[in-house]
Amino acid sequence: MALKMQSGLSAAAIGQKLGITGEAARQQLLRLAQEGLVEAQNISAGVGRPTQAWSLTAAAEGRFPDTHAALTLQLLDLIRANLGEAALDTIISAREAMTREAYQQAVAGKAQVKERVEALAQLRSGEGYMAGWREDPDGSLLLTENHCPICAAASACQGFCRAELAVFQAVLGPETKVEREEHIIAGGRRCSYRITSGTRS
């Protein structure tokens, strides 16, 4: 909370705010740094050792209240009520096209399906989906997503999930078949996609 209110504090300054020693504060900061919640920047102030100025990471910012999910739901409801379902479909289609183009650029030059799946998993992890993949004994590939950062929007409008599946199919190519096996929105622990070779029928 101290770093949220004022970034770039030294351990000594944080200790003073918390009523503890600077060393005790430093130990807490090192623990938080190991958890990926804070980071330090060395600030040189002339002669002597640089001072470490501590600030929150993006992961720590996520610990604070965020109403973006509620705002997203409100916007979806407003679009649906004022402009109609067709307008909502248009927006989802535009998002799908934008995502597909970005993903296709990222996998360009990757001839093997495995390479494309690996690149897709990395892209999705970067977007907060906590994605991974593996090859199973039957030769099929499994793409998994352990988190859904757009869960509120997807719950309110299934079009997001349909578009997502279409994007995966387009990016992985016509020689593959992509099928969703698990679905967070349907009560699953995660979303998973089975990818098999062979032109999609």
Side-chain angles (χ1 to χ4, degrees), residues 107 156 181:
V107 304
E181 291 190 340

Side-chain angles (χ1 to χ4, degrees), residues 170-187:
V171 170
L172 295 178
E175 74 277 15
T176 64
K177 181 177 182 180
V178 183
E179 297 175 289
R180 184 185 283 117
E181 291 190 340
E182 298 171 274
H183 199 189
I184 292 174
I185 301 304

